[in-house]
Amino acid sequence: MCGILGIMGNTDVAQEIYDGLTTLQHRGQDSAGIMTFDGHFNLKKGNGLVRDVFHTKNMLRLKGQIGIGHVRYPTAGSYDAAEAQPFFVNSPFGIALIHNGNLTNYEQLKNEIIKDNIRYLNTSSDSEVLINVVANEILKLNKLKLEPKDLFAAMQKVFKRLKGSYSCIMMIADHGLIAFRDPNGIRPLVFGERQGESFLKEYVFSSESVALAGMGFKILSDVQPGEVVYIDTNRKVHRKQCVETDWAPCIFEFVYLARPDSVIDKISVYKTRLRMGSALGKKIKKIWKREKFPIDVVMPVPDTARSSALAVAEELGVKFREGLIKNRYIGRTFIMPGQAIRKKSIKYKLMPIDLEIRGKNILLVDDSIVRGNTCKKIIQIVREAGAKNVYFASSAPPLRNPCVYGVDMPSKRDFIANKLDISEICKEIGADRLFYQEFEVLIWAAHEGNKKITKFCAACMDGKYPTKDITMKRLDEMDAIRSAAERPGAAESTDSVSDDQLTLI
């Protein structure tokens, strides 16, 4: 999971990209980068939050009316600052690219790039492989100037080579801004426009619609699965469906990843979470009639579960209260590198309000349970604040399988739902009762937002991966590669990096 943003404007776009990336910061906290083009490429990228990477002197030098920006949450490659995006290749034309997703055939493509395409790879990032695949297919055209039909022909061949998830934005020097999305549409990508001060329209691509709203862009559409959208330097928009599609957007975007005020593939994240909460409340109420466990108050585990918890409280007819206050300066623990860092951060991230907790029967609502360590610590915090009984509810069904499409989930053996049944999980996390969402209900909650989407990628729950290359054997191979690449402490660096091939800022 990463956040990507690209703008073609009528004035320098660096500041707006910066502002847009701050609204996408929840999608990646490890590194950030911006590249602009004003006749030559200007780049600044480095480890850290957006506010840490960019300073006034950097922003002043990021000149250009076209640019792309990225916030990174690494699931492939390392935490080295050199793997921050955007990536750049100088042939053909000069291409810069940002990528959200994960290539499942990375090793195969890496070998092709090095041995067949005779290209050098400087990092272990699948995004660097991706840009080299694109560059190689465009180079094969042997064109001094790309026409839209040429670009689309090259991209059709790119799609045939890539497997996995990829929502991408790229700039080609003196040509324009291009966006494309994998045939399953696993990761989101939205397209918008704005009437600029001059007669020329301005265009934007973003991982989430929330970035568009803050900058005054209106949504034109989502980039469709298997589609390429090309905006040339004359601001003419060219669109082409380059491959057959099998639409399966990630269900976990609606459970956890996306901001509630975003709309993904015409589905409101907020409304989806309300439906999830309402259905979960109905389930609890049904069980409640058979068993006695009075609930005095429903409390969300901030922030993602707040919308669902509100709907649970309304369905049960009990009070909704904020009993856990989040330190907004602590990042999202789910996307922190390493389990030890996650455990340590929970302690500083959430503080209880004893007044709302002491002596009460509390129902905590969270978005999901992965390893069980986080919810165990949260339940402990609430008990220490004086709760009489602590019940726990997950807005998502049990998670059992690793995500290979860009979410940093553990090995299959590390999911608590693969080791214990529900009663055993309840005991392990220290809850007095545990409730899970029903799988069919979760799918329904998202499907209600856009009935044209009949399938979602829910492989982390049901084990059904939408790309045909993922088998149990392949999962074992990917797990082995991941285990070998474990990097303790590598994410602690906050040093910035620039690309020596480009304008150093």
Side-chain angles (χ1 to χ4, degrees), residues 1 32 56 66 92 128 147 178 227 272 314 365 380 459 465 495:
M1 182 185 77
T56 302
I66 178 174
E128 187 186 16
E147 297 296 331
I178 300 102
E227 183 183 30
T272 300
E314 289 180 348
V365 180
Q380 180 184 341
Y465 295 88
D495 295 334

Side-chain angles (χ1 to χ4, degrees), residues 221-323:
S221 69
D222 295 279
V223 177
Q224 298 302 298
E227 183 183 30
V228 177
V229 183
Y230 170 35
I231 308 170
D232 64 30
T233 53
N234 295 319
R235 310 303 172 91
K236 186 174 181 180
V237 178
H238 311 270
R239 306 183 72 157
K240 184 176 177 61
Q241 197 76 36
C242 289
V243 291
E244 293 184 5
T245 65
D246 185 17
W247 207 352
C250 172
I251 196 69
F252 208 62
E253 290 278 354
F254 301 95
V255 172
Y256 173 81
L257 301 180
R259 272 181 42 163
D261 44 346
S262 282
V263 177
I264 296 174
D265 292 319
K266 298 184 179 179
I267 303 172
S268 165
V269 176
Y270 174 69
K271 285 286 189 70
T272 300
R273 290 177 184 169
L274 285 179
R275 287 190 286 267
M276 290 160 54
S278 180
L280 186 58
K282 285 183 173 71
K283 177 178 179 178
I284 296 171
K285 186 190 292 185
K286 188 176 181 179
I287 298 173
W288 199 344
K289 290 180 180 178
R290 300 195 304 264
E291 304 175 33
K292 292 183 178 180
F293 47 97
I295 297 171
D296 296 317
V297 62
V298 174
M299 289 182 178
V301 176
D303 285 317
T304 319
R306 185 171 284 111
S307 304
S308 292
L310 179 60
V312 169
E314 289 180 348
E315 192 64 43
L316 295 177
V318 300
K319 295 178 181 178
F320 172 88
R321 290 290 185 269
E322 297 280 0

Side-chain angles (χ1 to χ4, degrees), residues 329-371:
Y329 302 104
I330 300 291
R332 299 178 85 170
T333 52
F334 182 91
I335 65 175
M336 287 183 173
Q339 186 59 17
I341 298 177
R342 290 188 183 100
K343 287 182 179 179
K344 185 178 179 181
S345 294
I346 291 294
K347 176 180 175 182
Y348 305 108
K349 177 182 178 181
L350 297 175
M351 295 298 292
I353 301 178
D354 291 21
L355 182 67
E356 293 290 354
I357 295 174
R358 190 164 300 280
K360 296 178 182 178
N361 297 311
I362 308 295
L363 173 62
L364 292 173
V365 180
D366 205 353
D367 51 77
S368 59
I369 302 173
V370 185
R371 299 171 180 85

Side-chain angles (χ1 to χ4, degrees), residues 98-115:
I98 47 179
H99 167 217
N100 175 30
N102 193 51
L103 298 182
T104 56
N105 62 335
Y106 165 76
E107 293 294 332
Q108 174 192 336
L109 290 173
K110 176 183 174 182
N111 291 332
E112 290 176 4
I113 288 294
I114 295 173
K115 296 178 181 179

Side-chain angles (χ1 to χ4, degrees), residues 41 44 53 88 101 109 139 151 198 219-220 331 333 352 363 367 370 382 405 429 477:
F41 288 97
K44 175 63 179 181
V53 173
F88 172 80
L109 290 173
L139 186 62
L151 176 65
S198 70
I219 299 173
L220 283 176
T333 52
L363 173 62
D367 51 77
V370 185
V382 174
Y405 302 124
I429 66 177
E477 291 172 351

Side-chain angles (χ1 to χ4, degrees), residues 404-439:
V404 298
Y405 302 124
V407 181
D408 189 22
M409 291 186 179
S411 301
K412 189 168 184 173
R413 62 181 177 272
D414 294 328
F415 286 90
I416 193 170
N418 285 334
K419 296 183 285 188
L420 306 172
D421 62 26
I422 293 178
S423 62
E424 291 170 332
I425 295 172
C426 182
K427 183 178 180 180
E428 174 65 23
I429 66 177
D432 293 296
R433 190 62 189 263
L434 172 62
F435 307 94
Y436 273 109
Q437 183 73 270
E438 297 296 327
F439 177 78

